Amino acid sequence: MTLHLSSLLRKILITCFFIGALNSYAQQCKQMKIMWNMVNTYHVQPKSLDDKLSQAVFQDLFDQLDPDGMYFIEEDMNEFKKFKFDLDDAILNGDCSFITQIETVYKKRLEETDTLIAQILNSPLDYKVKEVMTFSKSITKKVPATIDERNNRWRKWLKYKTLTRVFSPRGEDERPPVIDNTSFQKMEKPARQDIKLFEQKKIRKILNEYNTLYDYILNEFASAFALYFDPHTEYYTNSEKNIFESYVSAENLSFGIEIKENSKNQVEITKLIPGGPAWKSNQLNKGDLIVAARYEGSRNIDLSFSDLNEAYEILFEKDIYEVELTIKKVNGSVKKVSIQKEKLVDDENVIQSFILQGEKKIGYIFLPSFYTDWEDKTGLGCANDLAKKLIVLQKENIDGLILDIRNNGGGSVQEALDLAGIFIDVGPVTLSKNQYEINVKKDVNRGTIYNGPLIIMVNGLSASASEIFSAAMQDYHRALIVGSTTYGKSTGQNIWPVTEGDISDPNAYGKYGYLKLTGSIFYRINNKTHQGTGVVPDLILPDLYDHLEFREKFENYVLTADTINKKTYYTPFNSPPGGDLQELSSYRLSTHPYFKNVLAISDSVKNIYNSEFVISLDLEGFKKTHQLGDYHWEQWEKLMQHKTDAFLVINDEYTRELIKLDEYNRDINQFQIENIENDIYIEETYKIMLDFINLDK
């Protein structure tokens, strides 16, 4: 009887365990059903929840779990394929129990690989055997058929990474080292250990980043689901959402510290912001190593066996206000230092203005992002800051203005509207279409701040809000757009809490994370969109990277361009003399040594990018490939060694006085001046401005 009761009790407990586990999985997967409802309601182009979605999300999920086909083998994938067309049902029913099957196999493969990396790299590798690795964007990822094939892939990959590490620059030196057989023998073992540490870090981060590996896979599932709707719909955990917002904010609470991962994969302090908390502690110095960190509610986190992302998540997480750092000094001593965040200006988001003093006095402003204060709806952002700079520049009697938004990936659309209002009178700036309606977004403020000649510099990394602004200036004929075709992102996103409550409530908390969701497509005031096509400049300057496939149109699941029919009323300025300006510029480009060669180099880059690139893994073969790369590097450096004689870069009177007593800002200012003096694109844009002013007389 006792045995019978014991057996019955055990069955009841096991049953309860599985019911509890299923309820737990259903609870954890609830976020997927909530996300589906959000996308279906708010996405500008929602898609059906069907087998097509299931198949795509399945593929993307495993591309995220095993991006290079280095963990799973064919046997694993054949087993997983049984739910390839069932993920839509899993989302609809809030049942993610299939993840447990992935979790078991994934954990096993990760642990096997972790051991394998140590086995391969604990002994010297054979650099005499003739073998190669082939890189090509046309090669489709294929998982290895067997464990032996997977292990061989890892052996070749680790050999390639070790060779690359040996031949890579060290410390402050940006040039690759010269390697002979003697120096190679000396550098090979440390390089192997560096690669071992780095590769094992990646694996252990996957295994330990969340409470369980199940949670990690669930988040990757959520990310793959979001991606299916377009490249910019993204799922964020709470910490990822905070980091995203901090990057586009001008004023942040900060520890006043900058870090990097040094050559030994250690987290090293590279700069203390003057006046910031780390600076004022008088206990931290450039070159200190951060070996551990602890904040309220956390354990002591070992950063000596972590990657840079984990350190970033601690130091730049918005909700972490105080941290205790364990520091290893250069002399080897270890100490603990506590610092609290304070409000300071982030160097990355400060607008800098200069005067290009030559035949004409031209103002130059570089705008790195369309930042704003996300927390305060009455807060002022980049448009207000730029307006202040313009007022100062106009007191210097500038003859024209160059606004540089190259590499500006966007930010706040409202700031783009406000910035347009500085240069045009009241009127439409862009049109926005969501699932249900089309809205005209206007500059509602009468009057302008600057009415003189204006050139806007763009390139392939000018995106989103940058494109809305530059497209409006082009349609109004208010500015000349100079550079290369922009990125081609004409969609708008909002970040919504993934929660069971009212997501429109400004106080709503993302119980299950956050969803950055594409809710609108933006159109130019001529009813066309730059989605996928980008803003084409009035004057093209050849760019070395134009042939690379990095723009929006090359992304998976990109939304296609279309047109709308919405009446807008605006008064454009007189058309600029584009043809004459292009002719004058083209002549200069044809005689300039840099621009003459950039097209040839760009074609070489295109050929390499679009073809198979075979790298020898024996020492002598790899060295030859490396020497060829050195040659191209030297040729490129010679082209870039150019200081303009077209103008001098000077500060306005206000800035000159401001930096007199601030050595740090004075050094930064000088560094920026030298960058402008050596920027060939700014030089040509300055000359275009001179032509613009002269032809407009």
Side-chain angles (χ1 to χ4, degrees):
M1 177 66 73
T2 302
L3 289 173
H4 176 71
L5 285 175
S6 176
S7 176
L8 180 61
L9 181 60
R10 186 164 58 251
K11 289 181 179 179
I12 292 172
L13 289 172
I14 291 171
T15 302
C16 289
F17 170 80
F18 279 112
I19 291 173
L22 289 172
N23 286 337
S24 174
Y25 294 141
Q27 182 69 20
Q28 288 174 308
C29 196
K30 188 178 289 186
Q31 69 189 68
M32 300 304 303
K33 190 170 184 179
I34 295 172
M35 285 171 60
W36 159 243
N37 290 331
M38 291 170 66
V39 170
N40 198 40
T41 304
Y42 296 106
H43 196 280
V44 65
Q45 291 182 9
K47 300 176 182 177
S48 299
L49 190 63
D50 54 17
D51 285 353
K52 183 179 178 182
L53 175 147
S54 182
Q55 186 176 10
V57 172
F58 176 89
Q59 183 63 51
D60 290 331
L61 171 61
F62 283 96
D63 282 345
Q64 291 169 189
L65 296 179
D66 188 8
D68 300 308
M70 302 289 279
Y71 301 131
F72 296 119
I73 61 174
E74 281 185 6
E75 176 187 332
D76 305 330
M77 295 309 300
N78 289 336
E79 180 66 22
F80 297 148
K81 283 177 182 177
K82 66 186 179 184
F83 48 76
K84 184 175 184 178
F85 296 100
D86 296 336
L87 300 189
D88 52 330
D89 298 320
I91 293 167
L92 188 63
N93 299 324
D95 177 10
C96 292
S97 55
F98 72 92
I99 290 178
T100 58
Q101 299 173 58
I102 301 175
E103 179 186 23
T104 301
V105 178
Y106 196 33
K107 186 173 188 293
K108 177 183 177 183
R109 298 307 184 205
L110 289 170
E111 290 174 344
E112 286 174 353
T113 305
D114 186 68
T115 301
L116 175 67
I117 290 168
Q119 289 173 346
I120 293 173
L121 292 178
N122 280 343
S123 302
L125 301 170
D126 186 350
Y127 299 101
K128 293 181 180 179
V129 62
K130 301 288 186 180
E131 56 184 350
V132 300
M133 281 196 72
T134 302
F135 296 88
S136 172
K137 69 184 184 69
S138 63
I139 295 177
T140 303
K141 186 191 83 172
K142 185 180 180 182
V143 297
T146 63
I147 292 291
D148 286 343
E149 184 181 334
R150 183 201 64 183
N151 293 354
N152 192 49
R153 278 192 193 183
W154 269 105
R155 182 189 59 78
K156 291 175 69 175
W157 170 251
L158 294 172
K159 188 176 177 182
Y160 163 73
K161 294 294 288 184
T162 301
L163 284 165
T164 302
R165 179 68 181 145
V166 169
F167 283 85
S168 294
R170 290 292 192 278
E172 300 298 322
D173 187 6
E174 295 183 356
R175 294 187 56 79
V178 176
I179 303 293
D180 56 25
N181 289 338
T182 301
S183 58
F184 178 80
Q185 294 300 323
K186 181 179 179 181
M187 298 173 70
E188 191 270 347
K189 183 176 180 179
R192 257 190 296 120
Q193 296 308 307
D194 286 348
I195 299 306
K196 174 187 171 184
L197 181 63
F198 178 75
E199 294 291 348
Q200 287 185 322
K201 272 184 181 181
K202 291 195 298 185
I203 291 174
R204 295 176 190 184
K205 180 173 172 57
I206 294 171
L207 288 167
N208 301 317
E209 184 173 11
Y210 295 91
N211 291 330
T212 66
L213 187 58
Y214 179 98
D215 293 329
Y216 176 85
I217 300 170
L218 177 60
N219 282 331
E220 294 301 307
F221 180 36
S223 296
F225 170 75
L227 174 65
Y228 176 70
F229 294 91
D230 73 277
H232 307 289
T233 292
E234 298 178 81
Y235 172 73
Y236 293 149
T237 62
N238 288 291
S239 61
E240 288 169 341
K241 178 252 189 184
N242 290 336
I243 291 171
F244 167 80
E245 289 191 349
S246 73
Y247 284 160
V248 291
S249 178
E251 288 189 291
N252 301 308
L253 288 176
S254 171
F255 293 118
I257 195 170
E258 292 186 8
I259 58 174
K260 71 173 184 179
E261 189 171 283
N262 67 18
S263 60
K264 295 182 179 179
N265 301 106
Q266 299 162 314
V267 179
E268 179 181 329
I269 296 176
T270 58
K271 187 172 81 171
L272 305 179
I273 307 301
W279 174 282
K280 291 189 292 188
S281 74
N282 291 324
Q283 299 182 76
L284 298 172
N285 301 95
K286 178 180 177 181
D288 289 349
L289 303 178
I290 304 176
V291 297
R294 183 174 64 83
Y295 56 91
E296 185 178 357
S298 82
R299 67 187 192 285
N300 202 42
I301 301 168
D302 183 5
L303 295 178
S304 63
F305 210 81
S306 170
D307 63 16
L308 199 59
N309 285 337
E310 187 165 357
Y312 270 122
E313 287 172 4
I314 295 170
L315 294 175
F316 299 104
E317 162 61 54
K318 190 168 62 175
D319 293 334
I320 296 175
Y321 301 101
E322 183 173 1
V323 65
E324 181 188 76
L325 302 176
T326 302
I327 300 298
K328 185 176 183 180
K329 293 290 194 179
V330 175
N331 64 7
S333 63
V334 176
K335 65 189 305 184
K336 295 183 184 294
V337 180
S338 294
I339 52 177
Q340 291 182 330
K341 282 183 178 176
E342 296 176 8
K343 181 169 282 193
L344 48 81
V345 178
D346 182 356
D347 282 340
E348 294 296 324
N349 284 337
V350 172
I351 295 176
Q352 297 294 330
S353 65
F354 298 90
I355 296 168
L356 313 184
Q357 180 70 68
E359 182 181 326
K360 298 285 185 182
K361 185 184 283 189
I362 306 301
Y364 170 83
I365 296 178
F366 172 64
L367 180 63
S369 71
F370 284 82
Y371 59 81
T372 191
D373 188 335
W374 288 83
E375 299 297 328
D376 183 359
K377 291 185 178 179
T378 64
L380 298 171
C382 68
N384 182 70
D385 291 345
L386 191 141
K388 293 176 183 176
K389 292 289 185 183
L390 260 179
I391 291 170
V392 172
L393 286 175
Q394 289 186 98
K395 289 181 180 178
E396 300 281 342
N397 298 312
I398 59 173
D399 299 299
L401 175 68
I402 296 172
L403 178 55
D404 190 346
I405 56 173
R406 291 176 298 168
N407 306 311
N408 183 325
S412 166
V413 172
Q414 185 58 50
E415 290 299 326
L417 303 180
D418 292 343
L419 187 59
I422 292 174
F423 304 106
I424 64 171
D425 205 344
V426 62
V429 177
T430 187
L431 296 90
S432 172
K433 182 183 79 171
N434 59 28
Q435 265 199 59
Y436 311 104
E437 60 184 354
I438 299 173
N439 294 305
V440 179
K441 295 186 177 293
K442 300 179 179 180
D443 163 39
V444 297
N445 298 311
R446 290 201 170 276
T448 59
I449 293 177
Y450 176 75
N451 297 306
L454 174 63
I455 292 180
I456 298 170
M457 297 182 70
V458 299
N459 65 5
L461 293 175
S462 303
S464 195
S466 294
E467 296 175 288
I468 290 173
F469 169 69
S470 56
M473 295 297 96
Q474 191 175 56
D475 290 340
Y476 271 94
H477 300 160
R478 177 59 189 90
L480 276 171
I481 312 300
V482 173
S484 53
T485 302
T486 61
Y487 184 78
K489 177 183 179 291
S490 185
T491 57
Q493 289 74 37
N494 288 309
I495 298 179
W496 300 97
V498 181
T499 181
E500 295 153 307
D502 180 7
I503 67 169
S504 62
D505 181 352
N507 297 315
Y509 173 72
K511 180 179 179 182
Y512 303 105
Y514 289 81
L515 187 64
K516 180 162 72 75
L517 192 149
T518 299
S520 57
I521 297 179
F522 291 100
Y523 296 80
R524 301 172 69 140
I525 52 179
N526 61 12
N527 280 209
K528 297 178 182 178
T529 181
H530 56 265
Q531 172 60 23
T533 60
V535 176
V536 180
D538 300 300
L539 278 78
I540 301 288
L541 300 182
D543 191 306
L544 179 66
Y545 306 104
D546 270 350
H547 292 310
L548 301 184
E549 297 179 359
F550 63 88
R551 289 177 170 86
E552 174 89 354
K553 63 183 178 181
F554 298 111
E555 295 279 1
N556 292 327
Y557 311 114
V558 63
L559 300 184
T560 55
D562 62 353
T563 59
I564 56 173
N565 185 17
K566 180 77 172 179
K567 288 185 178 181
T568 56
Y569 301 94
Y570 65 100
T571 304
F573 293 74
N574 294 329
S575 297
D580 294 334
L581 291 172
Q582 184 68 72
E583 185 177 344
L584 291 167
S585 178
S586 295
Y587 175 76
R588 283 191 297 270
L589 298 181
S590 68
T591 59
H592 195 293
Y594 171 85
F595 288 111
K596 281 173 62 178
N597 285 280
V598 72
L599 293 175
I601 296 174
S602 183
D603 285 339
S604 297
V605 171
K606 179 183 179 181
N607 291 334
I608 292 172
Y609 184 75
N610 290 323
S611 61
E612 289 189 348
F613 190 56
V614 179
I615 296 181
S616 299
L617 296 181
D618 62 285
L619 179 57
E620 292 306 315
F622 190 90
K623 191 184 295 185
K624 288 178 182 177
T625 304
H626 181 262
Q627 289 169 344
L628 181 62
D630 280 353
Y631 171 77
H632 288 306
W633 174 270
E634 289 168 3
Q635 296 304 306
W636 180 246
E637 275 194 329
K638 288 178 182 178
L639 286 176
M640 295 301 291
Q641 290 172 358
H642 171 86
K643 182 176 180 179
T644 185
D645 57 6
F647 53 78
L648 295 174
V649 183
I650 61 175
N651 296 115
D652 58 78
E653 184 178 354
Y654 173 78
T655 303
R656 287 196 297 271
E657 293 298 319
L658 197 64
I659 64 175
K660 273 184 179 179
L661 301 176
D662 189 332
E663 183 180 356
Y664 171 75
N665 281 323
R666 195 161 59 245
D667 290 344
I668 292 294
N669 181 72
Q670 184 57 38
F671 176 75
Q672 292 167 332
I673 285 175
E674 291 172 2
N675 279 344
I676 295 170
E677 290 174 337
N678 290 282
D679 191 315
I680 298 161
Y681 290 90
I682 295 177
E683 178 186 62
E684 176 57 25
T685 303
Y686 176 84
K687 292 176 179 178
I688 292 171
M689 177 64 84
L690 297 182
D691 294 338
F692 188 14
I693 293 171
N694 292 330
L695 288 171
D696 201 38
K697 286 181 179 178

